Amino acid sequence: MNMPVPPIEVLEQHLIDPEICIRCNTCEETCPIDAITHDENNYVVKADVCNGCRACVSPCPTGAIDNWRTVLKLEAYSIDEQFRWDELPAQKPIGDIAAAAGTLETDAAAVLDAPRAAVELETDPQSLVRGAQVPPWSAAKPYVNLYAHKAPVTATVVGNYGLTDEASDNDVHHIVLDFGAMPFPVLEGQSIGILAPGTTADGKPHHARQYSIASPRNGERPGYNNLSLTVKRVTRDHDGNLAEGVCSNYLCDLKKGDTVTVIGPFGSTFLMPNHPNSHLLMICTGTGSAPMRAMTEYRRRRRLEGATGKLMLFFGARTKEELPYFGPLTKLPKDFIDTNLAFSRTPGQPKRYVQDAMRERAADVARLLKDEQTYIYVCGLRGMEDGVLQALQEIAESHGLDWSGLWGRLKREGRLHLETY
Ligand code: FAD
Ligand code: A2P
C-alpha cells in the first residue's frame, strides 16, 4: 500500500533586516500574535507563528521589517539562526524552490495541499513580491539610519502651513524642518521618523512614525539644510471611528520655532533615477503625493540643467479642496508634467479614482510602459495598490504587452516602486 506523501509547502518567510533594524521594539509591540521576539543581538520572526498579516510593517520606522524570502517550509530559517545574523541571507534561486515544490505535483494528494504560492511561482517567479526591491540603476546612493532612537537629531520647525481647505474633512499640513548645523542628507522618496513626546497609556515612549520627505535633496529651499513633510491629521481610524492620532496631531499643531525629535533617514529603494532621459510615471492619493512632490520639484530644478525625461502624474483625492498642493500643481507647465487629477467625492460628479484616470489615458500610459526608460511610483492608500496594478495590467495587455513578463522586468530593474500605508 502506498503511504501518503507529506505535502511540501512553500512559505513566504517574514524576516527582519539586522543591518537596518534600529531595535526600537515597535514590531514586537505591534504583532497581534506574538510572532516577533528578540535577544541582545537581533529582532526575529517565528516562522511557525507569523501569519503574514503585516500589522507590524507600517509602524516599523526603518522598513527593516519588510523583508520576505521564499523558502520551502521545511527549510524555514529558525529563530536561533536569525539571532546570529549580521545580514539577511540572499533569496535562494526561486527556480530551485519551484522545482522542489513542483516535484510534488506528480502526487495527487500533495497537489491538494500545494500552496497558492507554488502555483504562482511557475508562472511568475517574482509574483510574491509586488514592487521592486532594488533602486533604479542610476539612483544616487542614499544615506540611511544616520540617526537612531538612541541618538536622534533635533530639527526646528521653520514653517507649518495648512494645505487643504478649512471647510474640508481632511486637514493636511506642509511642515518645514530645519536641521541647522547637523548633517541630514536625503533623497527624494526617502522618509524620516518622528518621535512624538510623551508616553503611551502604559508609560512607554511612543514608537516612531514614518513620514515621506516632500522636498528635493537640496532642500525645501535650495541650498538650505531643511526638508518638508506632508502630514495628514488622523482624527478617525481606518474603520471611521473617532481616534486622535498621536504623531500626526502633534505635528500638525507645531508652531514655528518648536523643536522635533527625528530619526532616519530611511529608504533605499523607492528612489528616483538620476539619468536625465528617464521618465517618471507617478500615481498617488492623499499624502502619497509627498514623494511625488519631491521628485517633481527635483526634476523641475534639473530641467533647467537639461533633464529631458517625461513626467506623468495621476493624483487622487476626495475633492479639489482636499488635494494637497492643488494650486502649485495646476500651475506647472503642461510640457513639463502631464497631470491627471481624480476626485472621488465632487458633489454631482461620479466617483473617480486614479485607476479610472489611468484607463482614460491608456494610450499614453502604454507608451510609457513600452519605454525602458520609464520608472513607476505608487504611493498613498494601501487599498489603491490592487486597483493600480490591475489598471497597469489591463492597459499593458490591451496594447500588446505581456504584463507578467513586463511586471517581472519592472521589479528586477527597480522600475516599479510601491509605498502604501
Ligand atoms: P496613531 O496614533 O498611530 O493611530 C491612531 C489610530 O488611527 C489607530 O487606530 C490607527 O490604526 C489609525 N490610523 C493610523 N494611520 C491612519 C491613517 N493614515 N488613516 C486612518 N487611520 C489611521 N502619513 C502622512 O500623513 N504623511 C506621509 O507622508 C506619510 N508617509 C508615510 C510613509 C511610510 C513609509 C509609512 C509606513 C507611513 C507614512 N505615513 C504618512 C503614515 C504615518 O507614519 C502615521 O501612521 C500616521 O501619521 C498616523 O500616525 P498617528 O500617530 O497620528 O496615529
Ligand atoms: P474615497 O472617496 O472612496 O475615500 P483619503 O482622503 O482617505 O486619503 O483618500 C484619498 C483618495 O483615495 C480619495 O479620493 C479616496 O476615495 C481614494 N481611494 C479610496 N480607496 C481607493 C482605492 N482602492 N483605489 C484608489 N483610490 C482610492
Side-chain angles (χ1 to χ4, degrees):
M1 195 179 80
N2 284 342
M3 293 293 286
V5 181
I8 297 177
E9 291 180 51
V10 174
L11 176 72
E12 197 186 355
Q13 186 173 4
H14 189 190
L15 299 170
I16 299 174
D17 188 337
E19 290 186 288
I20 299 178
C21 173
I22 51 174
R23 281 82 176 157
C24 64
N25 205 50
T26 304
C27 52
E28 196 171 318
E29 278 169 29
T30 315
C31 179
I33 51 166
D34 294 331
I36 298 178
T37 184
H38 68 279
D39 68 357
E40 62 289 351
N41 198 32
N42 283 337
Y43 274 74
V44 300
V45 186
K46 299 173 198 165
D48 54 337
V49 180
C50 177
N51 62 6
C53 73
R54 301 179 71 94
C56 56
V57 172
S58 168
C60 169
T62 63
I65 195 81
D66 202 5
N67 282 282
W68 308 82
R69 295 287 182 274
T70 307
V71 295
L72 291 177
K73 200 167 180 182
L74 289 169
E75 294 178 359
Y77 298 107
S78 70
I79 58 169
D80 289 331
E81 270 175 284
Q82 296 176 51
F83 282 141
R84 293 193 297 271
W85 286 345
D86 293 322
E87 59 183 39
L88 281 181
Q91 172 66 60
K92 287 184 184 157
I94 301 268
D96 295 356
I97 293 166
T103 53
L104 279 171
E105 295 193 2
T106 54
D107 180 290
V111 170
L112 287 177
D113 286 320
R116 194 171 59 90
V119 177
E120 286 177 346
L121 284 171
E122 294 195 336
T123 52
D124 176 3
Q126 298 202 31
S127 61
L128 298 177
V129 190
R130 306 183 108 194
Q133 294 183 308
V134 292
W137 68 266
S138 62
K141 183 103 183 78
Y143 287 91
V144 287
N145 299 317
L146 287 180
Y147 301 92
H149 271 73
K150 290 199 176 120
V153 63
T154 301
T156 305
V157 179
V158 292
N160 184 349
Y161 315 95
L163 287 174
T164 40
D165 195 290
E166 277 182 18
S168 72
D169 284 346
N170 263 339
D171 184 20
V172 181
H173 285 239
H174 182 70
I175 299 168
V176 187
L177 301 178
D178 191 278
F179 290 86
M182 297 301 285
F184 204 87
V186 297
L187 292 174
E188 307 76 16
Q190 284 194 291
S191 58
I192 63 171
I194 301 285
L195 297 169
T199 55
T200 58
D202 53 0
K204 293 185 185 148
H206 292 297
H207 67 73
R209 267 58 163 197
Q210 209 171 344
Y211 295 91
S212 302
I213 294 163
S215 49
R217 63 191 77 181
N218 54 347
E220 169 72 10
R221 182 166 173 187
Y224 281 65
N225 191 19
N226 61 15
L227 57 77
S228 61
L229 306 176
T230 313
V231 181
K232 174 180 164 176
R233 188 190 291 277
V234 170
T235 54
R236 291 190 180 272
D237 65 16
H238 293 288
D239 301 322
N241 304 315
L242 285 176
E244 194 176 333
V246 169
C247 196
S248 58
N249 281 275
Y250 159 69
L251 286 171
C252 289
D253 291 337
L254 286 169
K255 307 269 174 305
K256 211 169 158 180
D258 286 347
T259 56
V260 186
T261 308
V262 179
I263 59 174
F266 305 122
S268 53
T269 57
F270 193 110
L271 300 174
M272 65 188 292
N274 255 354
H275 54 295
N277 59 339
S278 51
H279 313 305
L280 308 182
L281 173 55
M282 301 176 278
I283 303 151
C284 63
T285 56
T287 56
S289 55
M292 313 312 181
R293 178 183 185 267
M295 292 184 189
T296 303
E297 179 56 13
Y298 185 62
R299 265 304 172 83
R300 196 187 64 78
R301 292 178 192 176
R302 268 194 78 187
R303 189 180 183 222
L304 309 171
E305 300 162 19
T308 54
K310 295 187 179 62
L311 273 67
M312 190 174 200
L313 172 70
F314 291 92
F315 190 170
R318 296 176 190 187
T319 61
K320 121 177 141 34
E321 291 73 23
E322 296 192 27
L323 186 125
Y325 310 115
F326 180 77
L329 245 186
T330 49
K331 291 197 182 76
L332 288 170
K334 303 268 174 296
D335 66 341
F336 166 61
I337 182 167
D338 182 349
T339 300
N340 301 267
L341 306 178
F343 299 118
S344 57
R345 301 192 198 180
T346 304
Q349 301 283 320
K351 203 177 190 62
R352 207 159 154 265
Y353 280 172
V354 278
Q355 47 272 40
D356 302 317
M358 290 168 69
R359 287 192 181 92
E360 284 163 22
R361 297 292 311 276
D364 297 299
V365 173
R367 206 165 296 129
L368 283 175
L369 287 178
K370 285 179 183 168
D371 191 325
E372 296 196 348
Q373 300 306 332
T374 297
Y375 292 74
I376 306 171
Y377 298 85
V378 181
C379 188
L381 288 180
R382 167 124 315 143
M384 74 189 282
E385 245 183 63
D386 283 344
V388 168
L389 287 172
Q390 205 180 340
L392 287 172
Q393 173 169 7
E394 279 172 33
I395 293 169
E397 288 174 350
S398 61
H399 288 78
L401 291 164
D402 159 35
W403 170 247
S404 89
L406 175 62
W407 191 14
R409 226 170 39 251
L410 289 169
K411 288 188 275 184
R412 277 195 305 280
E413 295 172 1
R415 297 203 287 125
L416 174 64
H417 297 275
L418 311 173
E419 189 160 272
T420 57
Y421 45 85

